[in-house]
């Protein structure tokens, strides 16, 4: 989108997909003749004046679907739709939703707000908006994915930091709210806002004085950032796409991104800086944009976006427990969002903290019998509270099903019968060291359930 476009300013509005929006309209457009389509494509490639809206809807959708092969189709469709909605209407022009303008703190705050809303919607689904949780999770994923195509994280040095196999935020709680010019790791520091003296920040230049890299040098002559010794840091920054006053936080904040000087750290997302920029920067036009479908750094951007997407699923599981200790949100996630769980397509994604854990010693078997007041069929899941193992089935009212999971003494296992939109039943078991057997009739949830629990030591 052209930088100068004006837009309303609702920072964290919940943009629901609407009939008539671009997302809905795209599914009913009439076919374009091949010759005309090629003409439009060539003109767009040659013109290059319009900013790419992030990865592009096709890439965002492919990343999201490839990351979650275990997810139920209707839920995944809603997550994808929510992701694509971030490129619609007012949301398209909010930099914190697209990892742009060096607004690291605002981006993290937006993600955290959405996570709180997702867990709230899982805990208490709204009859008027039953798909809210999945849609808002899609909102989160859009900006998380955009970071790897809109920053200097991926590009190979000297154009970028060339970071591989690492995520911007690999925690399992709410995202860290970074302070401007604080250290992310090692010698990498956030660039956000103008550097306050004695700090300084500028882009490297070659022997002819032309900008030669998109990795700003942050100089700390007095050791203010971390160490008492003078030190230089590599700056992490995102692409500049200012859309309204106060939007731009890449230094120099008060200057235009079009000014070609080493002190003007801002590098445009769309239009290139025509002077003073290395021809090797990013796409060869001096702009910070890995939205395309090419190889090399472009492929690395998509790969890391997928890794981050998979990690956010694990974060969502942990936040569903931490923000809702009743385990209702967790039970609804595992019982209704997961469509299948096999060795190839598992919710316990390899390489994330939620991958299947080491073997355990004790066998825990829990049998559930919903009463006549239960829905006709209820999802039934049994999972470790650290989400490293789970089992699932469905059970009809007044019928009985048994699930089995291994655990160690002291671990917490959760049995959940939680329908998609109505209250359910939860039973939590702390694994004892010795054999244990008990039957409990639980009437605290939305319907009565009889749980039979049996623990057999050293049976796994």
């Amino acid at each position: 989108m052209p930088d100068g476009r004006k837009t309303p300013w609702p920072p964290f509005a919940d943009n629901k997909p609407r009939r008539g929006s671009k997302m809905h309209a795209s599914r009913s457009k009439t076919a374009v003749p091949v010759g005309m389509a090629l003409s439009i494509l060539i003109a767009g490639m040659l013109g290059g004046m319009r900013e790419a809206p992030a990865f592009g809807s096709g890439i965002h959708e492919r990343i999201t679907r490839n990351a979650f092969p275990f997810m139920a189709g209707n839920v995944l469709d809603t997550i994808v739709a929510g992701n694509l909605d971030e490129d619609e209407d007012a949301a398209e022009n909010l930099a914190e939703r697209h990892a742009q303008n060096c607004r690291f703190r605002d981006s993290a705050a937006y993600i955290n707000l959405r996570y709180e809303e997702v867990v709230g919607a899982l805990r208490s689904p709204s009859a008027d908006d039953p798909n809210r949780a999945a849609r808002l999770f899609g909102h989160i994923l859009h900006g998380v994915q955009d970071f790897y195509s809109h920053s200097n994280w991926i590009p190979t040095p000297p154009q970028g930091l060339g970071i591989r196999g690492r995520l911007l935020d690999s925690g399992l709680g709410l995202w860290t709210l970074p302070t401007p010019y604080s250290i992310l790791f090692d010698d990498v520091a956030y660039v956000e806002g103008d550097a306050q003296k004695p700090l300084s920040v500028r882009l490297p230049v070659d022997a002819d004085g032309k900008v030669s890299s998109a990795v700003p040098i942050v100089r700390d002559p007095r050791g203010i950032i971390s160490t008492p010794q003078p030190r230089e840091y590599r700056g992490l920054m995102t692409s500049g796409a200012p859309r309204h006053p106060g939007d731009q936080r890449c230094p120099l904040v008060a200057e235009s991104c079009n000014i070609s000087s080493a002190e003007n750290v801002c590098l445009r997302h769309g239009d290139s800086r025509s002077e003073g920029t290395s021809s090797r920067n990013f796409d060869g036009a001096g702009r910070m944009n890995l939205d395309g479908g090419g190889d090399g750094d472009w492929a690395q951007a998509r790969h890391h976006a997928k890794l981050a997407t998979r990690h956010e699923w694990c974060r969502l599981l942990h936040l569903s427990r931490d923000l809702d200790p009743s385990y209702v949100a967790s039970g609804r996630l595992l019982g209704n969002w997961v469509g299948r769980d096999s060795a190839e397509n598992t919710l316990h994604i390899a390489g994330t903290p939620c991958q299947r854990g080491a073997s355990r010693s004790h066998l825990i078997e829990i049998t559930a019998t919903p009463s006549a007041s239960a829905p006709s069929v209820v999802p039934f899941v049994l999972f470790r509270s650290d989400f490293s193992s789970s089992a699932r089935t469905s059970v009809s009212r007044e019928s009985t099903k048994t699930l089995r999971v291994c655990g160690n003494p002291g671990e917490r296992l959760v049995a959940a019968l939680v329908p998609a939109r109505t209250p359910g039943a939860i039973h939590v078991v702390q694994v004892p060291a010795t054999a244990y057997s008990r039957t409990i009739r639980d009437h605290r949830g939305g319907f009565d359930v009889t749980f039979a629990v049996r623990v057999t030591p050293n049976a796994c």
Side-chain angles (χ1 to χ4, degrees), residues 131-432:
N131 298 321
R132 176 176 169 81
R135 187 180 71 254
L136 296 186
F137 186 51
H139 289 188
I140 291 169
L141 296 179
H142 187 99
V144 169
Q145 294 166 358
D146 271 353
F147 169 77
Y148 298 95
S149 67
H150 292 176
S151 70
N152 62 354
W153 186 273
I154 291 296
T156 303
Q159 284 70 46
L161 293 165
I163 296 172
R164 299 291 184 266
R166 185 170 191 149
L167 303 180
L168 176 61
D169 190 310
S170 57
L172 294 174
L174 293 173
W175 276 55
T176 299
L177 299 179
T179 301
Y181 295 95
S182 61
I183 296 176
L184 176 59
F185 65 89
D186 297 338
D187 68 333
V188 176
Y190 291 99
V191 172
E192 179 169 355
D194 290 336
Q196 301 301 306
K197 293 183 178 180
L199 300 180
S200 66
V201 57
R202 71 193 309 270
L203 290 170
V205 296
D206 59 21
D208 296 325
K210 291 185 177 181
V211 173
S212 58
S213 168
V215 180
I217 301 170
V218 179
R219 289 190 170 92
D220 180 10
R222 299 183 187 173
I224 294 175
I225 294 178
S226 68
T227 68
Q229 302 298 323
R231 188 174 178 184
E232 290 187 355
Y233 298 87
R234 295 178 296 160
L236 172 65
M237 61 181 286
T238 55
S239 59
R243 297 171 173 88
H244 53 77
D247 191 31
Q248 170 63 28
R249 295 290 297 158
C250 298
L252 297 166
V253 170
E255 300 287 347
S256 166
C257 282
N258 293 331
I259 298 175
S260 296
S261 71
E263 288 71 26
N264 185 24
V265 172
C266 180
L267 280 173
R268 291 285 288 273
H269 173 68
D271 298 339
S272 63
R273 294 175 8 156
S274 58
E275 297 178 359
T277 304
S278 165
S279 62
R280 294 182 60 234
N281 274 4
F282 300 92
D283 59 2
R287 60 187 181 185
M288 195 178 301
N289 181 330
L290 293 177
D291 291 339
D295 297 326
D297 288 345
W298 288 265
Q300 285 292 332
R302 298 192 301 275
H303 171 67
H304 283 75
K306 179 180 175 181
L307 293 180
T309 299
R310 289 152 64 102
H311 182 85
E312 293 306 312
W313 162 252
C314 187
R315 188 194 306 268
L316 175 58
L317 288 173
H318 282 259
L319 285 175
S320 72
R321 175 200 66 200
D322 297 343
L323 299 179
D324 178 24
S326 72
Y327 290 103
V328 170
S330 302
R332 187 161 277 124
L333 268 176
L334 294 174
N336 296 276
W337 284 31
V338 176
R340 54 180 172 168
D341 187 9
S342 64
E344 298 79 16
N345 301 306
T346 177
L347 69 102
H348 303 287
I349 302 172
T352 73
C354 295
Q355 69 182 4
R356 293 195 183 276
S359 60
R360 298 326 202 244
S361 60
H362 289 23
L363 176 64
I364 297 90
E365 300 173 279
I366 298 186
T367 298
T369 307
S371 68
S373 62
S376 58
V377 179
V378 184
F380 172 28
V381 293
L382 176 62
F383 57 95
R384 293 189 198 133
S385 64
D386 67 353
F387 305 104
S388 62
S389 183
S390 64
R392 64 197 30 77
T393 186
S394 59
V395 57
S396 302
R397 67 166 71 104
E398 297 186 289
S399 297
T400 297
K401 287 287 184 72
T402 301
L403 291 176
R404 299 168 178 86
V405 168
C406 294
N408 287 334
E411 287 189 315
R412 182 171 293 182
L413 270 69
V414 182
L417 287 85
V418 183
R421 302 180 183 180
T422 58
I426 301 287
H427 184 67
V428 181
V429 175
Q430 187 101 4
V431 179

Side-chain angles (χ1 to χ4, degrees), residues 32-55:
V32 177
V34 173
M36 183 181 297
L38 288 173
S39 299
I40 293 171
L41 175 61
I42 293 170
M45 293 173 64
L46 294 176
M49 295 302 294
R50 178 177 173 82
E51 285 194 8
F55 270 122

Side-chain angles (χ1 to χ4, degrees), residues 8-126:
W9 181 241
F12 298 142
D14 175 7
N15 47 303
K16 297 181 184 178
R18 292 176 297 282
R19 296 289 178 187
S21 72
K22 281 187 266 185
M23 188 181 73
H24 285 287
S26 65
R27 296 169 185 166
S28 60
K29 289 179 180 177
T30 56
V32 177
V34 173
M36 183 181 297
L38 288 173
S39 299
I40 293 171
L41 175 61
I42 293 170
M45 293 173 64
L46 294 176
M49 295 302 294
R50 178 177 173 82
E51 285 194 8
F55 270 122
S57 59
I59 296 178
H60 274 293
E61 178 169 359
R62 188 162 66 249
I63 289 170
T64 305
R65 291 191 183 279
N66 289 344
F68 301 143
F70 58 86
M71 200 165 283
N74 62 322
V75 175
L76 185 54
D77 288 345
T78 302
I79 292 172
V80 168
N83 187 321
L84 302 187
D85 268 356
E86 293 288 83
D87 277 334
E88 300 289 331
D89 303 323
E92 182 182 17
N93 289 330
L94 301 178
E96 64 274 8
R97 301 193 184 195
H98 302 280
Q100 290 181 321
N101 293 347
C102 298
R103 303 185 72 91
F104 292 102
R105 191 175 182 87
D106 286 347
S107 293
Y110 173 69
I111 289 172
N112 289 344
L113 174 68
R114 284 293 189 243
Y115 266 124
E116 291 170 351
E117 293 173 333
V118 169
V119 175
L122 286 167
R123 182 175 56 245
S124 303
S126 169

